[in-house]
Amino acid sequence: MENRVVGDAGSAGGDVAGDIAYVAIAGPTASGKTAAAMAIARTRPVEIVSVDSALVYRGMDIGTAKPSAAERAEVPHHLIDIRDPIERYSAAAFVEDAQRAIADIRARGRLPLLVGGTMLYFKALIDGLDAMPSADTALRARLEAEAAVVGWPAMHAKLAQVDPVTAARLAPADSQRIQRALEVWHVSGLPLSHFHAAKADKDTMNSDTTNGVLFSLETEDRTWLHTRIAQRFDTMLTDGFMDEVKALRARGDLTPDLPSMRCVGYRQAWETLDGDWPTTELRERGIAATRQLAKRQMTWLRSMPKRRIVACDQPGVIADIVRQVSQIAERKGLA
């Protein structure tokens, strides 16, 4: 099968030089990341670090396709079930937690294997965090109040006027990131994209936590991925996804504007239970939202030049990744 390598020889891609802090597997939802990670874990002494903004939440198992109890018993997993759904989790918190996990795993003589589809987290870890304004609670509350009146698509349109670059990569319903981008603009007078561009101009690579090999599971056959997405959503429904969401709602302290409940699938299930649309439409809307998520994930991946592209819809892809990881580990004297 074709294996394309994109990027320079160095961190996160190419013929890697120097010390390797970790191996990472990134890709859109349903691309086979977990299967590849478990196959590697059966051949190398690794520990898995989740790079997923939904897997951090306890009680959200079915709708996030969280690794099974058997998989987690077979190989140590980190950054899973570390937050209650009422709590917020940020890219900054992830970088701090991931850096600690990577250092601890390496100290145990094992290879950290980063696996997930939250590309913002990967980018924050690899490129570093942007020195942008901190959160303004009062301003955030005003933006939320305005959005409650006009809707987030209208707020997205406002963002497009002041920061078209950021608006172009955000979905009109991505309330959390639209709010943050507007907050940054109001506080600093500069668009969020300005801070991202400034960061891109700096050499922020750090050998302890950012010098890694990034495998990117990609496909040009969208039908293959769309079929897997539909199959996964059907499995979720069969496994009791709606009962999981009902249990979360029954707590009484969760609201649909929390980051946890805005996760794809959970948002659509919540709106269905609110009666915003018939239950018969849940499957269609959930699959459509997951496809859009996958599209955004691919856009993020393509912005990462230092990655090894692996065609995830081709036969033998898992064996190929296992082979490459073994070669890297042996060449660099890793676990």
Side-chain angles (χ1 to χ4, degrees):
M1 61 177 265
E2 177 189 11
N3 180 71
R4 294 168 288 162
V5 177
V6 176
D8 307 328
S11 300
D15 293 326
V16 181
D19 189 28
I20 303 300
Y22 61 81
V23 169
I25 301 175
T29 183
S31 59
K33 298 182 294 294
T34 297
M38 293 304 298
I40 292 170
R42 292 174 183 127
T43 62
R44 315 293 311 184
V46 306
E47 295 185 28
I48 294 174
V49 179
S50 171
V51 187
D52 191 297
S53 60
L55 296 190
V56 300
Y57 294 115
R58 295 184 289 272
M60 295 173 58
D61 304 329
I62 299 172
T64 61
K66 194 170 287 181
S68 67
E71 289 170 331
R72 294 166 70 177
E74 185 176 351
V75 57
H77 284 67
H78 302 269
L79 307 193
I80 293 178
D81 291 341
I82 60 173
R83 290 289 189 278
D84 185 86
I86 202 169
E87 299 178 278
R88 295 175 183 269
Y89 192 68
S90 66
F94 166 77
V95 170
E96 181 178 351
D97 290 342
Q99 288 175 336
R100 185 183 305 111
I102 290 169
D104 289 346
I105 294 167
R106 284 164 57 88
R108 287 190 286 272
R110 291 173 169 261
L111 175 65
L113 181 59
L114 278 61
V115 184
T118 301
M119 305 310 166
L120 176 62
Y121 288 5
F122 274 118
K123 185 172 178 61
L125 182 67
I126 294 170
D127 294 341
L129 292 166
D130 301 330
M132 64 182 69
S134 58
D136 184 319
T137 304
L139 174 58
R140 183 166 292 181
R142 291 198 299 272
L143 290 171
E144 288 182 350
E146 183 179 356
V149 175
V150 303
W152 284 108
M155 301 295 282
H156 181 268
K158 288 190 174 186
L159 177 62
Q161 295 176 358
V162 298
D163 188 356
V165 174
T166 299
R169 66 176 177 82
L170 298 182
D174 192 347
S175 55
Q176 184 179 14
R177 292 186 176 89
I178 293 170
Q179 180 192 62
R180 177 56 177 157
L182 286 170
E183 179 185 17
V184 168
W185 181 76
H186 280 290
V187 170
S188 67
L190 296 169
L192 185 65
S193 54
H194 164 84
F195 294 95
H196 288 168
K199 190 64 176 180
D201 289 339
K202 298 178 181 178
D203 179 12
T204 61
M205 302 309 289
N206 168 328
S207 63
D208 287 337
T209 57
T210 60
N211 187 23
V213 182
L214 175 63
F215 288 96
S216 177
L217 302 186
E218 302 180 25
T219 175
E220 295 180 358
D221 181 1
R222 288 184 295 179
T223 301
W224 179 87
L225 188 61
H226 289 177
T227 298
R228 288 174 60 90
I229 287 171
Q231 291 172 342
R232 171 176 285 186
F233 202 85
D234 286 339
T235 299
M236 286 166 43
L237 293 174
T238 301
D239 289 347
F241 175 53
M242 290 303 290
D243 289 336
E244 180 174 86
V245 178
K246 288 176 182 177
L248 291 166
R249 285 167 60 97
R251 289 176 33 156
D253 60 343
L254 301 179
T255 60
D257 62 327
L258 286 168
S260 59
M261 295 300 100
R262 288 202 297 264
C263 291
V264 167
Y266 290 87
R267 179 202 296 268
Q268 288 71 36
W270 192 289
E271 292 172 342
T272 297
L273 293 171
D274 276 345
D276 290 351
W277 59 65
T279 303
T280 53
E281 293 187 26
L282 171 60
R283 179 181 183 275
E284 178 183 346
R285 290 177 179 269
I287 291 173
T290 309
R291 287 181 178 181
Q292 287 299 312
L293 170 63
K295 183 178 180 180
R296 293 194 298 274
Q297 290 170 316
M298 288 302 304
T299 298
W300 272 97
L301 276 172
R302 289 168 182 148
S303 72
M304 299 179 182
K306 295 178 179 180
R307 71 194 195 280
R308 293 186 174 209
I309 302 175
V310 180
C312 59
D313 54 342
Q314 297 300 313
V317 59
I318 291 179
D320 182 68
I321 293 176
V322 170
R323 176 184 57 79
Q324 291 192 59
V325 170
S326 294
Q327 290 176 345
I328 292 168
E330 290 166 6
R331 188 165 67 247
K332 299 302 174 185
L334 300 175

